[in-house]
Amino acid sequence: MISEIDPHGLIAKSLSAHSRIQDFDSEAVGLLKARTRTFESGSYVFREGMSFSDYVFLISGYLFCQKQTSDGYRQIVSLIIPGDIVNPENRFVNNLDYNVVCAEKSSIIYVQRSEFETLIDSHPSIRLALDLRTTAESRQLREWLLNIGGRSARTRVAHFLNEFAARTRLRGLSDGLHFSLPMSQEQIGDSVGITPVHVNRSIRSLVEGGLINHANRKYEIIDLDGFRQAGQFSERFLLVNDLPH
């Protein structure tokens, strides 16, 4: 339930995924003044070209970012999961060049720009965490480009599902083997550049191959190694941090 979520704790946990932040950093995040708003499934959180001033964080539900052509073609370019900052470019620009849409009922919090940027300026660890998050998002985008341009339909879908499973596991939102993906087959298709028919065939092939179970947008990975091979997937591109190796 939304009421049971600690939004500030979720943000601090998300920041620490890529860089060490100390207890006093987390405490400073907890002092941020924030207002919460809930959106229904299918609602637009932002529309392309919309101006804004606040920083926005997702605390429950899932969002996707999309670009659209003048004749109606849609390309979903990224997914936003709880703890993510919705508009990280707010440090440099005050409008978005894409739409942000709710995949399901979702809640976000708004933090005033001046307050959050004061936090960034006074906490170098938080600034580094944000920079590393930007690096992580760039790596994910390159992987998405390769997925769309260089893989078969079945491999694209398997890679997409593997990435979602890994990201939710790393964020503590799933065990990585059982997860709910609140997206239609049309939306999955718009994420990987194929038709809903090809998405359906690809998922059915993965099920018939004994790699996953699937029912009502719920997935269970049965053969993790086989499923990762089917998607040509390695989670290395998700693991960006400042820790020595």
Side-chain angles (χ1 to χ4, degrees):
M1 299 294 290
I2 293 170
S3 60
E4 298 172 346
I5 294 172
D6 171 14
H8 295 87
L10 187 62
I11 294 169
K13 181 178 181 180
S14 175
L15 290 171
S16 64
H18 298 296
S19 180
R20 295 185 182 95
I21 65 172
Q22 306 299 324
D23 289 343
F24 67 88
D25 296 315
S26 298
E27 290 168 2
V29 171
L31 295 175
L32 292 171
K33 297 181 180 66
R35 58 187 178 89
T36 305
R37 183 178 175 186
T38 299
F39 293 81
E40 296 300 322
S41 177
S43 299
Y44 282 71
V45 176
F46 290 115
R47 290 185 181 272
E48 184 172 351
M50 180 177 175
S51 297
F52 52 83
S53 59
D54 294 337
Y55 283 84
V56 181
F57 299 85
L58 179 66
I59 58 172
S60 70
Y62 293 93
L63 311 177
F64 57 82
C65 302
Q66 66 179 34
K67 296 283 289 185
Q68 205 155 354
T69 64
S70 58
D71 58 359
Y73 172 79
R74 175 179 66 177
Q75 179 66 54
I76 294 176
V77 296
S78 65
L79 297 181
I80 300 173
I81 70 174
D84 282 351
I85 183 170
V86 177
N87 54 338
E89 58 268 65
N90 202 34
R91 296 166 67 186
F92 310 108
V93 297
N94 64 354
N95 61 77
L96 292 180
D97 64 339
Y98 51 86
N99 298 308
V100 180
V101 185
C102 295
E104 63 178 2
K105 186 175 182 178
S106 304
S107 289
I108 62 176
I109 61 172
Y110 299 83
V111 177
Q112 287 187 351
R113 171 182 285 207
S114 59
E115 186 177 5
F116 193 70
E117 292 185 349
T118 296
L119 175 71
I120 296 171
D121 290 340
S122 58
H123 291 263
S125 294
I126 292 178
R127 178 183 293 275
L128 176 59
L130 289 172
D131 290 342
L132 288 171
R133 175 162 296 286
T134 299
T135 300
E137 290 169 352
S138 296
R139 289 161 66 104
Q140 290 173 37
L141 179 58
R142 287 191 289 271
E143 195 69 25
W144 277 48
L145 288 172
L146 175 61
N147 205 39
I148 292 172
R151 294 175 175 137
S152 68
R154 182 177 186 268
T155 305
R156 294 183 199 187
V157 172
H159 189 282
F160 180 83
L161 295 175
N162 268 294
E163 179 182 322
F164 185 81
R167 286 184 67 195
T168 54
R169 176 180 59 79
L170 291 169
R171 191 62 56 82
L173 300 168
S174 79
D175 65 2
L177 298 176
H178 305 81
F179 58 93
S180 296
L181 176 62
M183 298 178 72
S184 67
Q185 292 187 356
E186 178 182 5
Q187 290 167 341
I188 294 173
D190 288 347
S191 302
V192 300
I194 59 177
T195 67
V197 171
H198 283 92
V199 173
N200 183 273
R201 290 173 180 169
S202 298
I203 292 175
R204 188 168 65 246
S205 173
L206 295 168
V207 171
E208 292 173 350
L211 301 178
I212 62 171
N213 285 326
H214 167 250
N216 300 322
R217 302 187 183 182
K218 295 183 184 297
Y219 296 83
E220 177 189 14
I221 300 175
I222 300 172
D223 178 355
L224 181 58
D225 289 340
F227 189 46
R228 289 191 167 187
Q229 289 176 12
Q232 299 177 6
F233 180 81
S234 168
E235 65 180 38
R236 285 194 305 271
F237 73 96
L238 299 173
L239 304 176
V240 179
N241 58 58
D242 66 334
L243 304 178
H245 298 284

